[in-house]
Amino acid sequence: MSPWLPLALMSGPDVPSLVLVGLFTGLLALDDTAFAQTWFGQPLPAAALTGFLCGDPLTGLAVGLPLQLVLAGNLPVGQTFTGDPASATVAAVSGTLLSGIRLYPPLAEDPAGTWQLLGWVILGAGLLSLLGHLVIQTERRANGLLMLQGHRTLRDGKLSRIERLHMRCLVSTLGRGFSLGILFTVCMIWAWLPLFERLPSFIQEALGTLPLLLPGLGVGTMIDRYGLRASWPWVGGGLVGTFLVVSYVS
């Protein structure tokens, strides 16, 4: 077994930690579109906050930064967003840290050589996000059926019915985030992370390049969505910032 997959994988997390992760994921699920919309549910803040709750913000940064860059054009503002990045990001970070594993951001000093595992965790987060999207679509259809009852308010004027239906939608979103947060975290700990050891060595090596490839994919996605004219200041600023950071680190 490699040094970044300790025996903690065999025991699993304690129940209070899972409940805390579930509650936090539920709040972020509400924040996507249903309540507040602070953008704390975006991958970078969600990962950093999860890392803080689990005792290692640096691992949160390592996972959240590449995911945030690749999802730069997938924002829940005035459009339909794809996936469930909040639940997937929280599960990726919490599952890693509750397994006793630490990860390091790309281009940072990495004493344990965990870039390959970081790529595997990021890939797992992407797959979990797509799986969560199916659950969100099911929830939206169920909420749509609920709101059909609200049409009766147009006839009788009982606004309290709308308030009750809205509260039921909020509770279902909270429950969805809570359940997926726990389920995805358990999947990371007991299935996804142990599977890394069974991968061929050449796949493990290839996974080490994934965190470095995602920023370019994110830039391409942003240009495709908003056009080069609107995107070039952000792309240029990011390149300058990256150059300054790398120069400072070097």
Side-chain angles (χ1 to χ4, degrees):
M1 218 174 197
S2 59
W4 53 66
L5 289 179
L7 292 177
L9 284 172
M10 303 302 177
S11 60
D14 56 284
V15 173
S17 297
L18 283 178
V19 172
L20 179 61
V21 168
L23 289 175
F24 181 61
T25 311
L27 293 176
L28 293 183
L30 286 174
D31 186 67
D32 270 339
T33 56
F35 186 79
Q37 286 191 285
T38 63
W39 283 25
F40 284 155
Q42 287 295 296
L44 181 55
L49 290 172
T50 305
F52 176 79
L53 290 176
C54 296
D56 185 11
L58 187 62
T59 294
L61 179 64
V63 175
L65 184 56
L67 288 174
Q68 185 67 69
L69 291 173
V70 78
L71 295 177
N74 186 40
L75 302 176
V77 180
Q79 63 181 4
T80 299
F81 63 96
T82 303
D84 182 12
S87 300
T89 302
V90 171
V93 177
S94 62
T96 299
L97 291 176
L98 292 177
S99 298
I101 303 168
R102 297 190 64 184
L103 300 175
Y104 297 86
L107 302 180
E109 183 179 355
D110 187 2
T114 59
W115 278 19
Q116 294 89 347
L117 184 58
L118 174 60
W120 183 244
V121 170
I122 291 173
L123 178 61
L127 295 176
L128 290 176
S129 179
L130 294 177
L131 180 60
H133 182 73
L134 300 178
V135 180
I136 289 178
Q137 292 297 97
T138 302
E139 179 193 4
R140 287 174 177 171
R141 286 192 289 268
N143 288 346
L145 294 175
L146 276 179
M147 295 312 296
L148 287 177
Q149 303 177 28
H151 290 175
R152 295 168 54 191
T153 303
L154 297 176
R155 296 192 297 269
D156 57 28
K158 293 182 179 180
L159 297 179
S160 59
R161 181 185 297 111
I162 295 293
E163 294 174 355
R164 290 195 301 271
L165 292 174
H166 183 228
M167 183 57 64
R168 289 173 65 180
C169 291
L170 292 178
V171 171
S172 69
T173 300
L174 178 65
R176 182 254 302 169
F178 178 83
S179 302
L180 288 184
I182 293 178
L183 177 62
F184 287 175
T185 300
V186 170
C187 287
M188 286 292 299
I189 294 172
W190 287 338
W192 190 254
L193 290 172
L195 184 60
F196 179 78
E197 282 297 313
R198 300 181 179 273
L199 297 175
S201 58
F202 72 93
I203 294 181
Q204 293 184 3
E205 292 297 325
L207 287 168
T209 65
L210 183 60
L212 301 177
L213 296 176
L214 291 184
L217 181 60
V219 169
T221 301
M222 188 171 66
I223 292 176
D224 181 66
R225 178 176 291 275
Y226 301 109
L228 181 59
R229 180 175 298 180
S231 303
W232 76 262
W234 299 99
V235 175
L239 291 174
V240 171
T242 301
F243 174 77
L244 294 176
V245 170
V246 172
S247 300
Y248 176 78
V249 173
S250 300

